[in-house]
């Protein structure tokens, strides 16, 4: 099983700093360049910051969804600066030397590989660098926090990335927002209620309530930037994608919607599909019977059946040889989550705006026929402005899956961003 650097995003990594006397020359700044190994290449950035007592260094690779991850074990001596990153499975050791304070020449060691690279200090002017503005806005009596990214030149293109599942805050979309901003879009991301530094509780909210927050965010963003709603597009992934048709039906002036890795089913069916894919080798010939039981677990969480009914199912199933291989939550700790009952299909059946649906061929989470079900729903809406894209070799998160000359890092699928941008560029100026 491949282990990727983006796993470090789930860790709390503390940046260790060097306490020795800092160099007098100005070696701080952003160093960027291409990291290459065979056919693998990635644009990476080291941000070197220095104050009177210490150094701090951060790693960014937007196509790995890695944004300002702090390095640890910093060691600065003469013209050398060394540091490390740690994932769940690998240590990434970087050894570097400054050259004329304008280049950073280094070697990355991971597992048995040693790969050289050269990064160059950025000389870009402030007029060429996207700016970020942290903001607050009110929705449903809650104060939510977010960030607007402004491109160097105002192109009147705008994208709002709506929130997705779980307790992920805006950091989950920060890299993608910056990638779109580099392409000329004014981009908006925000912490969902109850995540990051936003008020509220997402666990008790329905999909409709969460989508209401998204709608208020879009309206606020339009007023804040003076960009009309009919110039704004929305994009969501996974559970976020399932909200796209709902939001488009509520805000019919929106220019377009992009649904990435969207289930063509209820969220319950999608979660159950993921469970089946994760356990099919473990359960083998017992998969059918075990899945019938596991469905009861998900139905209990969704509030479709009672905990007492599930307990009866447990009593019947616990004598089966597969029982110790399935997930059985503590019944006293189950919290009902009716979001699992939500399906985007009825809303796809009414969409009038242009819609792009993107699904990865190696998506293990949503049902494999999701894009076909969504296509049928859009046909029922008589929508002539939609497109379905199946990206070969893409995962649920749109990472490129397959053989790699550097299997320790994972990047976005090479056609993902260009697919989105090319589709948007062909849309008319307004609805």
């Amino acid at each position: 099983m491949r282990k990727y650097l983006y796993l470090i995003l789930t860790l709390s990594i503390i940046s260790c700093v060097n306490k020795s006397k800092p160099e007098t020359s100005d070696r701080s700044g952003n160093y960027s360049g291409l990291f290459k190994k065979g056919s693998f290449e990635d644009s990476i950035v080291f941000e070197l910051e220095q104050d009177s007592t210490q150094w701090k260094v951060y790693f960014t690779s937007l196509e790995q969804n890695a944004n300002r991850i702090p390095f640890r074990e910093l060691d600065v001596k003469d013209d050398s600066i060394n540091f490390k990153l740690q994932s769940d499975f690998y240590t990434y050791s970087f050894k570097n030397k400054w050259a004329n304070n304008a280049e950073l020449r280094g070697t990355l060691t991971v597992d048995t590989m040693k790969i050289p690279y050269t990064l160059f200090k950025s000389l870009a002017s402030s007029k060429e660098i996207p700016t970020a503005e942290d903001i607050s806005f009110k929705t449903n009596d809650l104060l939510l926090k977010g960030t607007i990214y402004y491109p160097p030149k105002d192109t009147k293109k705008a994208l709002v990335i709506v929130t997705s599942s779980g307790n992920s805050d805006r950091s989950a979309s920060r890299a993608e927002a910056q990638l779109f901003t580099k392409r000329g879009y004014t981009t908006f991301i925000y912490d969902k209620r109850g995540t990051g530094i936003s008020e509220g509780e997402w666990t008790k909210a329905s999909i409709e309530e969460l989508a209401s927050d998204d709608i208020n965010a879009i309206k606020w963003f339009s007023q804040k930037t003076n960009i009309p709603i009919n110039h704004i597009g929305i994009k969501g992934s996974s559970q976020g994608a399932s909200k796209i048709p709902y939001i488009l039906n509520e805000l019919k002036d929106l220019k377009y919607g992009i649904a990435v890795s969207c289930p063509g089913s209820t969220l319950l069916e999608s979660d159950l599909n993921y469970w089946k894919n994760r356990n099919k080798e473990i359960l083998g010939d017992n998969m059918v019977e075990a899945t019938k039981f596991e469905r009861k677990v998900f139905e209990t969480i969704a509030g479709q059946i009672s905990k007492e009914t599930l307990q009866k199912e447990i009593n019947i199933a616990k004598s089966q040889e597969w029982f110790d291989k399935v997930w059985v939550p503590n019944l006293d700790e189950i919290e009902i989550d009716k979001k699992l009952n939500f399906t985007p299909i009825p809303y796809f059946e009414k969409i009038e705006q242009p819609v792009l649906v993107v699904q990865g061929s190696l998506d293990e989470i949503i049902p494999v026929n999701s894009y076909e079900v969504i296509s049928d729903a859009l046909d029922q809406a008589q929508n002539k402005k939609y497109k379905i894209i199946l990206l070969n070799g893409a995962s649920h998160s749109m990472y490129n899956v397959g053989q790699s000359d550097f299997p320790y890092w994972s990047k976005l699928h090479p056609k993902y961003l260009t697919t989105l941008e090319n589709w948007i560029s062909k849309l008319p100026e307004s609805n």
Side-chain angles (χ1 to χ4, degrees):
M1 180 178 179
R2 295 172 58 199
K3 290 87 176 179
Y4 302 127
L5 177 59
Y6 68 81
L7 290 173
I8 63 178
L9 294 175
T10 63
L11 302 177
S12 175
I13 304 174
I14 300 175
S15 176
C16 299
V17 297
N18 183 279
K19 298 292 185 179
S20 61
K21 184 178 179 180
E23 299 292 332
T24 57
S25 57
D26 185 15
R27 293 172 170 175
S28 61
N30 293 355
Y31 292 79
S32 60
L34 280 180
F35 175 89
K36 296 183 179 181
K37 173 60 178 175
S39 61
F40 179 92
E41 65 176 47
D42 186 29
S43 297
I44 62 174
V45 179
F46 294 167
E47 298 176 56
L48 278 62
E49 299 176 359
Q50 180 187 25
D51 60 24
S52 60
T53 62
Q54 63 186 21
W55 283 91
K56 293 183 179 179
V57 185
Y58 301 90
F59 174 83
T60 293
S61 166
L62 296 182
E63 294 201 18
Q64 292 183 57
N65 197 29
N67 184 73
R68 279 181 62 84
I69 297 174
F71 285 104
R72 64 180 183 85
E73 296 186 29
L74 268 66
D75 180 32
V76 183
K77 184 177 181 181
D78 299 328
D79 63 347
S80 298
I81 181 167
N82 305 322
F83 34 75
K84 294 180 179 181
L85 285 173
Q86 183 67 50
S87 76
D88 287 345
F89 301 98
Y90 294 106
T91 299
Y92 304 81
S93 299
F94 299 81
K95 293 187 176 181
N96 310 272
K97 284 185 178 293
W98 279 287
N100 301 319
N101 296 338
E103 295 180 16
L104 205 59
R105 299 173 183 172
T107 300
L108 166 60
T109 300
V110 55
D111 200 10
T112 60
M113 284 191 179
K114 291 182 180 290
I115 303 96
Y117 56 84
T118 300
L119 306 182
F120 301 91
K121 191 172 183 180
S122 174
L123 300 176
S125 68
S126 59
K127 294 181 179 180
E128 298 172 335
I129 300 174
T131 58
E133 180 184 8
D134 290 331
I135 55 79
S136 302
F137 66 96
K138 293 288 287 187
T139 172
N140 299 312
D141 296 324
L142 299 172
L143 186 65
L144 270 55
K145 305 287 187 174
T147 303
I148 300 175
Y149 291 96
Y150 298 94
K153 295 181 180 179
D154 185 6
T155 61
K156 300 300 180 183
K157 297 188 295 185
L159 181 69
V160 176
I161 300 178
V162 303
T163 61
S164 194
S165 62
N167 61 355
S168 297
D169 58 19
R170 81 190 95 158
S171 63
S173 301
R174 195 180 298 276
E176 188 165 358
Q178 293 182 46
L179 285 167
F180 273 102
T181 304
K182 288 176 178 290
R183 287 163 167 78
Y185 294 79
T186 301
T187 312
F188 184 32
I189 57 174
Y190 41 97
D191 295 339
K192 181 171 64 178
R193 62 166 71 185
T195 70
I197 51 176
S198 287
E199 296 177 346
E201 293 184 70
W202 65 268
T203 55
K204 298 180 180 179
S206 67
I207 289 291
E208 291 81 2
E209 288 172 324
L210 295 174
S212 175
D213 292 342
D214 294 321
I215 290 166
N216 290 332
I218 294 164
K219 291 178 178 178
W220 181 90
F221 171 72
S222 176
Q223 295 173 354
K224 165 72 175 176
T225 60
N226 292 317
I227 299 175
I229 287 182
N230 65 358
H231 284 71
I232 296 173
I234 58 172
K235 180 262 174 185
S237 296
S238 195
Q239 188 183 107
S242 73
K243 294 187 292 181
I244 292 297
Y246 180 94
I247 296 169
L248 289 175
N249 278 284
E250 294 294 316
L251 288 179
K252 294 187 179 297
D253 286 339
L254 281 167
K255 185 173 182 179
Y256 60 84
I258 299 174
V260 177
S261 304
C262 184
S265 65
T266 63
L267 300 182
L268 185 155
E269 292 295 338
S270 184
D271 285 355
L272 183 60
N273 184 69
Y274 185 45
W275 179 88
K276 288 192 292 185
N277 283 327
R278 291 293 300 270
N279 291 278
K280 58 186 177 183
E281 292 186 6
I282 297 173
L283 290 165
D285 295 337
N286 295 315
M287 174 58 78
V288 173
E289 289 301 314
T291 299
K292 289 180 181 178
F293 170 80
E294 197 64 36
R295 177 180 294 278
K296 298 297 182 182
V297 172
F298 282 96
E299 288 174 348
T300 304
I301 296 171
Q304 295 181 18
I305 63 175
S306 68
K307 294 180 183 180
E308 290 75 17
T309 299
L310 178 58
Q311 183 62 66
K312 292 178 181 178
E313 295 290 338
I314 292 172
N315 293 339
I316 294 171
K318 62 185 179 182
S319 62
Q320 300 297 318
E321 61 177 316
W322 46 262
F323 184 75
D324 62 345
K325 299 182 177 67
V326 298
W327 174 54
V328 183
N330 186 324
L331 298 190
D332 293 332
E333 296 177 356
I334 288 180
E335 294 187 6
I336 303 302
D337 185 0
K338 293 191 175 181
K339 288 189 284 293
L340 291 176
N341 299 312
F342 182 82
T343 171
I345 299 306
Y347 303 100
F348 274 117
E349 292 174 349
K350 298 183 288 186
I351 288 181
E352 300 174 356
Q353 302 100 313
V355 181
L356 175 65
V357 176
V358 182
Q359 181 173 325
S361 67
L362 299 179
D363 191 329
E364 291 188 323
I365 297 179
I366 64 176
V368 67
N369 68 334
S370 288
Y371 70 98
E372 297 173 329
V373 175
I374 294 171
S375 179
D376 289 342
L378 288 165
D379 285 338
Q380 185 167 329
Q382 298 184 354
N383 189 315
K384 305 298 182 183
K385 296 175 287 187
Y386 79 86
K387 187 170 185 178
I388 307 287
I389 298 289
L390 186 65
L391 278 186
N392 188 37
S395 69
H396 183 75
S397 300
M398 288 294 122
Y399 284 100
N400 194 30
V401 180
Q403 295 297 318
S404 172
D405 289 329
F406 190 69
Y408 306 98
W409 284 350
S410 183
K411 289 176 53 181
L412 288 173
H413 191 283
K415 294 183 179 180
Y416 170 60
L417 289 173
T418 55
T419 294
L420 271 56
E421 190 172 23
N422 289 343
W423 180 79
I424 296 171
S425 67
K426 294 177 182 178
L427 296 176
E429 289 300 316
S430 61
N431 292 333

